[in-house]
């Protein structure tokens, strides 16, 4: 890849094998996890194509995506990536029921991430995970690790009990802002454990429906964050919406702006249009990018939302629907490509 | 309005005063409603602008939209409408807990609609309401009244306990198809009573958020109906999505088609792309139409989904966000206007 098309990948899932977190846990969690693992953190919906690329299984065995050296070869070197934000998968633990357990697992994962991944490549940067089940514990964890030079983001699950703009969650945003870290939302456990049903009309039957409807949690959280005044209260907070799709965003901005004009008395703390808060505070990642029959339609849609300044490239390696940087968005202008594949992320994460 | 711009309005809410259904009920419901009304069927979210136009209150008093003569003057004659589909509001009773009560209320309303509305103007056509709480009772009600010459549609609430494609609901679709009636979905009770939370991430705090997120139930139901094979099983069924917005549809079709290509083994009964089923079976109504700053964006978006053949004009009279036919979609071509404001509905409802 040429100098004019540098790449930062904002969603790379380093997995860990079942026993990997044990050394980083204290009791009572250490014995529990040593004996029975951390338990399922998936949605419970079955994907017939699996969720992980088979070729991402390391040569020595173990989970796909669990070996730094294999990832460096298969992803970083192959696509000449300057940086990859390691997002893990542990944010999904927020779908469990016990807030203390979820917090302990996140802390152990963060220590594991720092000790066993971040030093392995100059390209690796880390998203530290916190659980939304106890935002005060989450804020404490952010304060504990935000100073690490390779931690560039806080990541939380989009699967939650309530819309994420609500006041209960504000300690997380306060801590992220105070420490100068963007906050990422990632799906995966929607409908599991203590979270709400994964769609606005309950539980669909199959993974294809569940996956298609994932954008809905993002729509709710975004509307909630704007309307609850999160961006008024935390004016330097940046939010990154990962893996929830993009094509719904123009319509949502229009609908929310229109409603705001009639119903602004309900949100008197807002001093500008909802879409303006979104443009100033929110980034959205590409994978899985929508693919209309006519690729120009996606470009037209991008132009409706100033997309080249708010979209970040993500591969979602090593998941089944991986998007290589060479395979998507070929019709973008060179300038838009430079921003989406590199410059927007470089600025956001101060790389 | 000239001959070249005839109007059919597919969403006109005739209201009824509290006691209006009593004469059409039998015991034990008659005494219950006479004593205490039918109970709340709203969402529970408070709109600071109300939900009804104050000027739609009849000169003699009563609820806005409850007097046929006033509606004829204020809507039908003023905008020279050829037909108005009376949708009522009683479909919301499906948010209650008792399936027998909901079925009785719907039957009483349907008799009331026929006796006190449909004969008052040649322009009035009726959507008969059924409750989704007991689809077998709903099918029986459809069979009872579908033969009435002015009943042109079945209407159900989009607020439900499950995604509406699921097998539990199929008796409704079988009856609608057998009787040649389109099936409309209408929001309003999302989150109330026995329905699921109104968004994919639970209960937002305010009406502005609830209303902005209403599209989500429609997204879920549409994905569910396609994936569960409703349109394979009932090849002549037509579905009308009322008041859920439009701008989300292109992205949803792209996302579902893309997922179908990878995950079709989960829905082997589908023989074509999900978007093809949507184009052949689904209509979507205008109000509340999205209003981007640049109105051309909406037209561009319409062009992505063959909008002129699937969109139906709706005013939502007498609700607060009424869209007059003279005020929206001014940039459409005359041909697209003719279809959206008139021809698509004329064909669909065989008027």
């Amino acid at each position: 890849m040429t100098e004019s098309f540098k790449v930062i990948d904002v969603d790379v899932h380093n997995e860990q094998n079942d026993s990997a977190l044990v050394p980083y846990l204290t009791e009572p969690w250490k014995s529990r996890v040593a004996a029975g693992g951390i338990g399922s953190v998936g949605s419970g919906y079955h994907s017939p194509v699996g969720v992980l690329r088979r070729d991402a299984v390391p040569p020595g065995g173990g989970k796909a995506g669990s070996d730094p050296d294999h990832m460096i070869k298969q992803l970083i070197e192959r696509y000449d990536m300057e940086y990859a934000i390691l997002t893990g998968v542990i944010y999904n633990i927020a779908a469990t029921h016990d807030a203390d357990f979820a917090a302990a697992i996140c802390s152990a994962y963060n220590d594991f991430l720092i000790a066993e991944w971040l030093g392995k490549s100059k390209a690796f940067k880390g998203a530290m995970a916190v659980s939304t089940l106890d935002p005060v514990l989450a804020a404490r964890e952010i304060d504990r690790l935000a100073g690490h030079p390779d931690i560039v983001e806080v990541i939380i699950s989009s699967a939650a009990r309530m819309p994420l703009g609500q006041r209960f969650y504000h300690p997380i945003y306060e801590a992220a802002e105070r420490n100068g870290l963007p906050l990422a939302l990632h799906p995966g456990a929607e409908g599991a454990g203590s979270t709400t049903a994964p769609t606005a009309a309950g539980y669909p039957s199959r993974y294809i429906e569940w996956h298609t409807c994932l954008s809905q949690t993002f729509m709710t959280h975004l509307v909630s964050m704007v309307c609850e005044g999160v961006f008024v209260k935390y004016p330097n907070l940046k939010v990154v919406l990962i893996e929830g799709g993009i094509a719904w965003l123009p319509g949502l901005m229009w609908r929310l702006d229109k409603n705001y004009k009639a119903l602004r008395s309900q949100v008197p703390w807002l001093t500008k249009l909802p879409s303006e808060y979104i443009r100033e505070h929110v980034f959205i990642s590409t994978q899985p990018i929508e693919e209309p029959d006519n690729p120009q339609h996606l470009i037209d849609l991008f132009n409706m939302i100033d997309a080249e300044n708010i979209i970040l490239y993500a591969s979602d390696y090593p998941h089944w629907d991986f998007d290589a940087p060479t395979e998507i968005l070929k019709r973008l202008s060179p300038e838009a490509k430079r921003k989406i594949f590199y410059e927007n992320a470089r600025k956001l994460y101060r790389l």
Side-chain angles (χ1 to χ4, degrees), chain A residues 284-321:
Chain A
I284 190 161
S285 73
T286 55
Q287 190 282 337
I289 194 79
E290 288 93 351
E291 294 178 11
D293 278 348
N294 179 345
Q296 185 58 38
H297 286 166
L298 191 64
I299 305 301
D300 291 345
L301 201 117
F302 276 19
N303 290 335
M304 298 175 187
I305 51 169
D306 188 30
E308 69 180 55
N309 291 310
I310 66 171
I311 294 184
L312 307 173
Y313 165 70
S315 74
D316 198 30
Y317 177 92
H319 287 174
W320 66 278
D321 46 357

mmCIF file of all heavy atoms in Angstrom, chain A residues 284-321:
data_model
loop_
_atom_site.group_PDB
_atom_site.id
_atom_site.type_symbol
_atom_site.label_atom_id
_atom_site.label_comp_id
_atom_site.label_asym_id
_atom_site.label_seq_id
_atom_site.Cartn_x
_atom_site.Cartn_y
_atom_site.Cartn_z
ATOM 1 N N ILE A 284 -18.200 7.029 13.668
ATOM 2 C CA ILE A 284 -18.908 5.787 13.375
ATOM 3 C C ILE A 284 -18.008 4.951 12.461
ATOM 4 O O ILE A 284 -17.354 5.493 11.571
ATOM 5 C CB ILE A 284 -20.291 6.117 12.764
ATOM 6 C CG1 ILE A 284 -21.191 4.906 12.644
ATOM 7 C CG2 ILE A 284 -20.183 6.849 11.447
ATOM 8 C CD1 ILE A 284 -22.667 5.278 12.490
ATOM 9 N N SER A 285 -17.939 3.664 12.732
ATOM 10 C CA SER A 285 -16.958 2.862 11.991
ATOM 11 C C SER A 285 -17.602 2.087 10.859
ATOM 12 O O SER A 285 -18.812 1.857 10.845
ATOM 13 C CB SER A 285 -16.218 1.927 12.943
ATOM 14 O OG SER A 285 -17.055 0.882 13.345
ATOM 15 N N THR A 286 -16.781 1.668 9.912
ATOM 16 C CA THR A 286 -17.301 1.168 8.636
ATOM 17 C C THR A 286 -17.868 -0.240 8.680
ATOM 18 O O THR A 286 -18.891 -0.519 8.053
ATOM 19 C CB THR A 286 -16.181 1.136 7.577
ATOM 20 O OG1 THR A 286 -15.083 0.372 8.093
ATOM 21 C CG2 THR A 286 -15.744 2.534 7.231
ATOM 22 N N GLN A 287 -17.202 -1.130 9.399
ATOM 23 C CA GLN A 287 -17.565 -2.544 9.255
ATOM 24 C C GLN A 287 -18.756 -2.898 10.138
ATOM 25 O O GLN A 287 -18.763 -2.481 11.300
ATOM 26 C CB GLN A 287 -16.350 -3.396 9.642
ATOM 27 C CG GLN A 287 -16.467 -4.862 9.329
ATOM 28 C CD GLN A 287 -17.316 -5.626 10.330
ATOM 29 O OE1 GLN A 287 -17.495 -5.220 11.460
ATOM 30 N NE2 GLN A 287 -17.887 -6.729 9.901
ATOM 31 N N PRO A 288 -19.764 -3.681 9.721
ATOM 32 C CA PRO A 288 -19.924 -4.176 8.352
ATOM 33 C C PRO A 288 -20.579 -3.113 7.468
ATOM 34 O O PRO A 288 -21.719 -2.716 7.701
ATOM 35 C CB PRO A 288 -20.864 -5.367 8.532
ATOM 36 C CG PRO A 288 -21.678 -5.006 9.747
ATOM 37 C CD PRO A 288 -20.821 -4.127 10.608
ATOM 38 N N ILE A 289 -19.859 -2.686 6.467
ATOM 39 C CA ILE A 289 -20.338 -1.599 5.621
ATOM 40 C C ILE A 289 -21.534 -2.080 4.803
ATOM 41 O O ILE A 289 -21.569 -3.221 4.348
ATOM 42 C CB ILE A 289 -19.193 -1.109 4.700
ATOM 43 C CG1 ILE A 289 -19.535 0.212 4.057
ATOM 44 C CG2 ILE A 289 -18.825 -2.150 3.656
ATOM 45 C CD1 ILE A 289 -19.347 1.397 4.940
ATOM 46 N N GLU A 290 -22.522 -1.233 4.660
ATOM 47 C CA GLU A 290 -23.653 -1.580 3.811
ATOM 48 C C GLU A 290 -23.198 -1.630 2.356
ATOM 49 O O GLU A 290 -22.338 -0.849 1.947
ATOM 50 C CB GLU A 290 -24.782 -0.550 3.975
ATOM 51 C CG GLU A 290 -25.496 -0.658 5.318
ATOM 52 C CD GLU A 290 -24.921 0.255 6.402
ATOM 53 O OE1 GLU A 290 -23.853 0.858 6.168
ATOM 54 O OE2 GLU A 290 -25.539 0.362 7.482
ATOM 55 N N GLU A 291 -23.781 -2.516 1.583
ATOM 56 C CA GLU A 291 -23.363 -2.696 0.190
ATOM 57 C C GLU A 291 -24.562 -2.697 -0.745
ATOM 58 O O GLU A 291 -25.065 -3.747 -1.122
ATOM 59 C CB GLU A 291 -22.577 -4.010 0.039
ATOM 60 C CG GLU A 291 -21.262 -4.000 0.784
ATOM 61 C CD GLU A 291 -20.490 -5.324 0.667
ATOM 62 O OE1 GLU A 291 -20.859 -6.184 -0.153
ATOM 63 O OE2 GLU A 291 -19.519 -5.476 1.429
ATOM 64 N N PRO A 292 -25.030 -1.514 -1.130
ATOM 65 C CA PRO A 292 -26.145 -1.473 -2.081
ATOM 66 C C PRO A 292 -25.718 -2.024 -3.442
ATOM 67 O O PRO A 292 -24.531 -1.999 -3.778
ATOM 68 C CB PRO A 292 -26.467 0.021 -2.191
ATOM 69 C CG PRO A 292 -25.299 0.747 -1.631
ATOM 70 C CD PRO A 292 -24.589 -0.174 -0.702
ATOM 71 N N ASP A 293 -26.694 -2.517 -4.212
ATOM 72 C CA ASP A 293 -26.410 -2.977 -5.578
ATOM 73 C C ASP A 293 -25.688 -1.907 -6.370
ATOM 74 O O ASP A 293 -24.761 -2.171 -7.108
ATOM 75 C CB ASP A 293 -27.732 -3.272 -6.323
ATOM 76 C CG ASP A 293 -28.251 -4.643 -5.979
ATOM 77 O OD1 ASP A 293 -27.497 -5.422 -5.363
ATOM 78 O OD2 ASP A 293 -29.420 -4.918 -6.306
ATOM 79 N N ASN A 294 -26.178 -0.694 -6.208
ATOM 80 C CA ASN A 294 -25.538 0.440 -6.864
ATOM 81 C C ASN A 294 -24.616 1.118 -5.849
ATOM 82 O O ASN A 294 -25.088 1.825 -4.954
ATOM 83 C CB ASN A 294 -26.612 1.410 -7.352
ATOM 84 C CG ASN A 294 -26.007 2.623 -8.032
ATOM 85 O OD1 ASN A 294 -24.806 2.889 -7.912
ATOM 86 N ND2 ASN A 294 -26.842 3.353 -8.748
ATOM 87 N N PRO A 295 -23.299 0.900 -5.961
ATOM 88 C CA PRO A 295 -22.380 1.400 -4.924
ATOM 89 C C PRO A 295 -22.421 2.932 -4.787
ATOM 90 O O PRO A 295 -22.059 3.468 -3.742
ATOM 91 C CB PRO A 295 -21.000 0.931 -5.403
ATOM 92 C CG PRO A 295 -21.216 0.047 -6.574
ATOM 93 C CD PRO A 295 -22.619 0.219 -7.063
ATOM 94 N N GLN A 296 -22.871 3.594 -5.836
ATOM 95 C CA GLN A 296 -22.948 5.051 -5.762
ATOM 96 C C GLN A 296 -23.948 5.487 -4.683
ATOM 97 O O GLN A 296 -23.808 6.561 -4.090
ATOM 98 C CB GLN A 296 -23.346 5.627 -7.127
ATOM 99 C CG GLN A 296 -23.331 7.153 -7.192
ATOM 100 C CD GLN A 296 -21.976 7.752 -6.847
ATOM 101 O OE1 GLN A 296 -20.934 7.202 -7.210
ATOM 102 N NE2 GLN A 296 -21.970 8.873 -6.106
ATOM 103 N N HIS A 297 -24.946 4.661 -4.412
ATOM 104 C CA HIS A 297 -25.939 5.022 -3.402
ATOM 105 C C HIS A 297 -25.294 5.235 -2.038
ATOM 106 O O HIS A 297 -25.697 6.115 -1.280
ATOM 107 C CB HIS A 297 -27.026 3.941 -3.311
ATOM 108 C CG HIS A 297 -27.974 3.958 -4.466
ATOM 109 N ND1 HIS A 297 -28.838 2.921 -4.734
ATOM 110 C CD2 HIS A 297 -28.196 4.885 -5.434
ATOM 111 C CE1 HIS A 297 -29.561 3.210 -5.811
ATOM 112 N NE2 HIS A 297 -29.176 4.388 -6.249
ATOM 113 N N LEU A 298 -24.302 4.415 -1.722
ATOM 114 C CA LEU A 298 -23.640 4.574 -0.429
ATOM 115 C C LEU A 298 -22.854 5.886 -0.386
ATOM 116 O O LEU A 298 -22.855 6.597 0.631
ATOM 117 C CB LEU A 298 -22.716 3.385 -0.155
ATOM 118 C CG LEU A 298 -22.180 3.315 1.278
ATOM 119 C CD1 LEU A 298 -23.305 3.093 2.282
ATOM 120 C CD2 LEU A 298 -21.145 2.196 1.414
ATOM 121 N N ILE A 299 -22.221 6.196 -1.490
ATOM 122 C CA ILE A 299 -21.473 7.465 -1.557
ATOM 123 C C ILE A 299 -22.444 8.646 -1.428
ATOM 124 O O ILE A 299 -22.179 9.618 -0.703
ATOM 125 C CB ILE A 299 -20.687 7.557 -2.882
ATOM 126 C CG1 ILE A 299 -19.784 6.335 -3.054
ATOM 127 C CG2 ILE A 299 -19.898 8.854 -2.939
ATOM 128 C CD1 ILE A 299 -18.765 6.119 -1.963
ATOM 129 N N ASP A 300 -23.583 8.545 -2.097
ATOM 130 C CA ASP A 300 -24.593 9.612 -1.992
ATOM 131 C C ASP A 300 -25.036 9.777 -0.542
ATOM 132 O O ASP A 300 -25.201 10.899 -0.045
ATOM 133 C CB ASP A 300 -25.824 9.284 -2.855
ATOM 134 C CG ASP A 300 -25.518 9.341 -4.347
ATOM 135 O OD1 ASP A 300 -24.461 9.907 -4.719
ATOM 136 O OD2 ASP A 300 -26.316 8.808 -5.135
ATOM 137 N N LEU A 301 -25.218 8.649 0.106
ATOM 138 C CA LEU A 301 -25.649 8.683 1.497
ATOM 139 C C LEU A 301 -24.559 9.292 2.389
ATOM 140 O O LEU A 301 -24.843 10.090 3.291
ATOM 141 C CB LEU A 301 -25.965 7.254 1.929
ATOM 142 C CG LEU A 301 -26.871 7.144 3.125
ATOM 143 C CD1 LEU A 301 -28.177 6.462 2.740
ATOM 144 C CD2 LEU A 301 -26.201 6.346 4.204
ATOM 145 N N PHE A 302 -23.319 8.930 2.137
ATOM 146 C CA PHE A 302 -22.201 9.510 2.895
ATOM 147 C C PHE A 302 -22.210 11.040 2.776
ATOM 148 O O PHE A 302 -21.946 11.753 3.745
ATOM 149 C CB PHE A 302 -20.865 8.982 2.357
ATOM 150 C CG PHE A 302 -20.462 7.652 2.913
ATOM 151 C CD1 PHE A 302 -21.385 6.810 3.513
ATOM 152 C CD2 PHE A 302 -19.148 7.228 2.833
ATOM 153 C CE1 PHE A 302 -21.007 5.574 4.020
ATOM 154 C CE2 PHE A 302 -18.757 5.998 3.344
ATOM 155 C CZ PHE A 302 -19.674 5.173 3.932
ATOM 156 N N ASN A 303 -22.524 11.498 1.579
ATOM 157 C CA ASN A 303 -22.482 12.944 1.356
ATOM 158 C C ASN A 303 -23.563 13.689 2.136
ATOM 159 O O ASN A 303 -23.484 14.893 2.320
ATOM 160 C CB ASN A 303 -22.601 13.248 -0.140
ATOM 161 C CG ASN A 303 -21.347 12.832 -0.888
ATOM 162 O OD1 ASN A 303 -20.257 12.755 -0.301
ATOM 163 N ND2 ASN A 303 -21.490 12.536 -2.170
ATOM 164 N N MET A 304 -24.580 12.968 2.577
ATOM 165 C CA MET A 304 -25.660 13.614 3.334
ATOM 166 C C MET A 304 -25.242 13.908 4.773
ATOM 167 O O MET A 304 -25.924 14.648 5.471
ATOM 168 C CB MET A 304 -26.899 12.705 3.361
ATOM 169 C CG MET A 304 -27.485 12.432 1.988
ATOM 170 S SD MET A 304 -28.865 11.227 2.076
ATOM 171 C CE MET A 304 -29.162 10.975 0.303
ATOM 172 N N ILE A 305 -24.167 13.274 5.244
ATOM 173 C CA ILE A 305 -23.826 13.413 6.668
ATOM 174 C C ILE A 305 -22.372 13.804 6.909
ATOM 175 O O ILE A 305 -21.823 13.536 7.966
ATOM 176 C CB ILE A 305 -24.107 12.105 7.449
ATOM 177 C CG1 ILE A 305 -23.454 10.899 6.742
ATOM 178 C CG2 ILE A 305 -25.596 11.895 7.630
ATOM 179 C CD1 ILE A 305 -23.454 9.639 7.592
ATOM 180 N N ASP A 306 -21.758 14.433 5.915
ATOM 181 C CA ASP A 306 -20.373 14.855 6.131
ATOM 182 C C ASP A 306 -19.542 13.640 6.550
ATOM 183 O O ASP A 306 -18.702 13.710 7.456
ATOM 184 C CB ASP A 306 -20.345 15.930 7.222
ATOM 185 C CG ASP A 306 -18.957 16.555 7.372
ATOM 186 O OD1 ASP A 306 -18.232 16.623 6.372
ATOM 187 O OD2 ASP A 306 -18.609 16.952 8.500
ATOM 188 N N ALA A 307 -19.795 12.541 5.873
ATOM 189 C CA ALA A 307 -19.249 11.257 6.320
ATOM 190 C C ALA A 307 -17.737 11.245 6.383
ATOM 191 O O ALA A 307 -17.148 10.597 7.244
ATOM 192 C CB ALA A 307 -19.740 10.153 5.388
ATOM 193 N N GLU A 308 -17.097 11.952 5.478
ATOM 194 C CA GLU A 308 -15.640 11.794 5.433
ATOM 195 C C GLU A 308 -14.970 12.329 6.687
ATOM 196 O O GLU A 308 -13.823 11.993 6.951
ATOM 197 C CB GLU A 308 -15.051 12.416 4.166
ATOM 198 C CG GLU A 308 -15.122 13.914 4.111
ATOM 199 C CD GLU A 308 -14.516 14.437 2.807
ATOM 200 O OE1 GLU A 308 -14.975 13.991 1.740
ATOM 201 O OE2 GLU A 308 -13.599 15.261 2.859
ATOM 202 N N ASN A 309 -15.699 13.104 7.473
ATOM 203 C CA ASN A 309 -15.105 13.601 8.721
ATOM 204 C C ASN A 309 -15.529 12.831 9.970
ATOM 205 O O ASN A 309 -15.009 13.088 11.053
ATOM 206 C CB ASN A 309 -15.441 15.084 8.897
ATOM 207 C CG ASN A 309 -14.725 15.929 7.867
ATOM 208 O OD1 ASN A 309 -13.514 15.790 7.694
ATOM 209 N ND2 ASN A 309 -15.460 16.773 7.160
ATOM 210 N N ILE A 310 -16.484 11.911 9.844
ATOM 211 C CA ILE A 310 -16.936 11.200 11.051
ATOM 212 C C ILE A 310 -16.792 9.685 10.944
ATOM 213 O O ILE A 310 -17.007 8.981 11.915
ATOM 214 C CB ILE A 310 -18.393 11.557 11.417
ATOM 215 C CG1 ILE A 310 -19.383 11.065 10.364
ATOM 216 C CG2 ILE A 310 -18.553 13.047 11.636
ATOM 217 C CD1 ILE A 310 -20.832 11.212 10.803
ATOM 218 N N ILE A 311 -16.422 9.189 9.782
ATOM 219 C CA ILE A 311 -16.314 7.734 9.627
ATOM 220 C C ILE A 311 -14.865 7.280 9.841
ATOM 221 O O ILE A 311 -13.919 7.959 9.440
ATOM 222 C CB ILE A 311 -16.830 7.306 8.232
ATOM 223 C CG1 ILE A 311 -18.337 7.577 8.150
ATOM 224 C CG2 ILE A 311 -16.547 5.829 7.978
ATOM 225 C CD1 ILE A 311 -18.981 7.116 6.868
ATOM 226 N N LEU A 312 -14.741 6.138 10.505
ATOM 227 C CA LEU A 312 -13.437 5.527 10.768
ATOM 228 C C LEU A 312 -13.433 4.126 10.147
ATOM 229 O O LEU A 312 -14.406 3.380 10.290
ATOM 230 C CB LEU A 312 -13.212 5.385 12.278
ATOM 231 C CG LEU A 312 -13.385 6.635 13.143
ATOM 232 C CD1 LEU A 312 -13.299 6.253 14.629
ATOM 233 C CD2 LEU A 312 -12.329 7.680 12.805
ATOM 234 N N TYR A 313 -12.341 3.765 9.544
ATOM 235 C CA TYR A 313 -12.232 2.425 8.991
ATOM 236 C C TYR A 313 -12.082 1.380 10.106
ATOM 237 O O TYR A 313 -11.333 1.570 11.063
ATOM 238 C CB TYR A 313 -11.029 2.319 8.042
ATOM 239 C CG TYR A 313 -10.675 0.886 7.751
ATOM 240 C CD1 TYR A 313 -11.506 0.095 6.967
ATOM 241 C CD2 TYR A 313 -9.540 0.299 8.310
ATOM 242 C CE1 TYR A 313 -11.210 -1.241 6.738
ATOM 243 C CE2 TYR A 313 -9.238 -1.034 8.084
ATOM 244 C CZ TYR A 313 -10.083 -1.801 7.293
ATOM 245 O OH TYR A 313 -9.797 -3.131 7.080
ATOM 246 N N ALA A 314 -12.788 0.261 9.952
ATOM 247 C CA ALA A 314 -12.651 -0.869 10.872
ATOM 248 C C ALA A 314 -12.703 -2.158 10.062
ATOM 249 O O ALA A 314 -13.510 -2.281 9.135
ATOM 250 C CB ALA A 314 -13.776 -0.868 11.892
ATOM 251 N N SER A 315 -11.863 -3.124 10.403
ATOM 252 C CA SER A 315 -11.885 -4.405 9.680
ATOM 253 C C SER A 315 -12.728 -5.455 10.400
ATOM 254 O O SER A 315 -13.237 -6.370 9.788
ATOM 255 C CB SER A 315 -10.463 -4.950 9.534
ATOM 256 O OG SER A 315 -9.990 -5.470 10.781
ATOM 257 N N ASP A 316 -12.812 -5.341 11.740
ATOM 258 C CA ASP A 316 -13.461 -6.360 12.564
ATOM 259 C C ASP A 316 -12.715 -7.693 12.548
ATOM 260 O O ASP A 316 -13.277 -8.729 12.889
ATOM 261 C CB ASP A 316 -14.916 -6.565 12.149
ATOM 262 C CG ASP A 316 -15.735 -7.267 13.228
ATOM 263 O OD1 ASP A 316 -15.424 -7.098 14.416
ATOM 264 O OD2 ASP A 316 -16.658 -8.008 12.873
ATOM 265 N N TYR A 317 -11.465 -7.679 12.157
ATOM 266 C CA TYR A 317 -10.636 -8.891 12.247
ATOM 267 C C TYR A 317 -10.703 -9.436 13.664
ATOM 268 O O TYR A 317 -10.651 -8.660 14.606
ATOM 269 C CB TYR A 317 -9.186 -8.536 11.899
ATOM 270 C CG TYR A 317 -8.219 -9.699 12.029
ATOM 271 C CD1 TYR A 317 -7.937 -10.512 10.941
ATOM 272 C CD2 TYR A 317 -7.597 -9.982 13.256
ATOM 273 C CE1 TYR A 317 -7.056 -11.578 11.060
ATOM 274 C CE2 TYR A 317 -6.722 -11.053 13.381
ATOM 275 C CZ TYR A 317 -6.461 -11.845 12.275
ATOM 276 O OH TYR A 317 -5.607 -12.905 12.400
ATOM 277 N N PRO A 318 -10.798 -10.740 13.888
ATOM 278 C CA PRO A 318 -10.875 -11.848 12.931
ATOM 279 C C PRO A 318 -12.288 -12.393 12.776
ATOM 280 O O PRO A 318 -12.470 -13.600 12.662
ATOM 281 C CB PRO A 318 -9.986 -12.886 13.618
ATOM 282 C CG PRO A 318 -10.296 -12.686 15.084
ATOM 283 C CD PRO A 318 -10.653 -11.227 15.260
ATOM 284 N N HIS A 319 -13.277 -11.522 12.740
ATOM 285 C CA HIS A 319 -14.655 -11.999 12.662
ATOM 286 C C HIS A 319 -15.044 -12.380 11.232
ATOM 287 O O HIS A 319 -14.372 -12.016 10.274
ATOM 288 C CB HIS A 319 -15.607 -10.950 13.247
ATOM 289 C CG HIS A 319 -15.504 -10.874 14.752
ATOM 290 N ND1 HIS A 319 -16.152 -9.938 15.516
ATOM 291 C CD2 HIS A 319 -14.816 -11.648 15.638
ATOM 292 C CE1 HIS A 319 -15.868 -10.140 16.789
ATOM 293 N NE2 HIS A 319 -15.057 -11.156 16.893
ATOM 294 N N TRP A 320 -16.131 -13.137 11.143
ATOM 295 C CA TRP A 320 -16.525 -13.763 9.874
ATOM 296 C C TRP A 320 -16.755 -12.756 8.755
ATOM 297 O O TRP A 320 -16.551 -13.032 7.589
ATOM 298 C CB TRP A 320 -17.797 -14.605 10.062
ATOM 299 C CG TRP A 320 -19.033 -13.805 10.410
ATOM 300 C CD1 TRP A 320 -19.391 -13.344 11.643
ATOM 301 C CD2 TRP A 320 -20.062 -13.357 9.519
ATOM 302 N NE1 TRP A 320 -20.563 -12.636 11.578
ATOM 303 C CE2 TRP A 320 -21.015 -12.629 10.297
ATOM 304 C CE3 TRP A 320 -20.298 -13.499 8.141
ATOM 305 C CZ2 TRP A 320 -22.155 -12.049 9.736
ATOM 306 C CZ3 TRP A 320 -21.443 -12.914 7.592
ATOM 307 C CH2 TRP A 320 -22.342 -12.203 8.393
ATOM 308 N N ASP A 321 -17.181 -11.536 9.140
ATOM 309 C CA ASP A 321 -17.521 -10.555 8.108
ATOM 310 C C ASP A 321 -16.467 -9.460 7.995
ATOM 311 O O ASP A 321 -16.762 -8.299 7.702
ATOM 312 C CB ASP A 321 -18.915 -9.977 8.356
ATOM 313 C CG ASP A 321 -19.151 -9.586 9.815
ATOM 314 O OD1 ASP A 321 -18.250 -9.817 10.664
ATOM 315 O OD2 ASP A 321 -20.227 -9.052 10.117
#
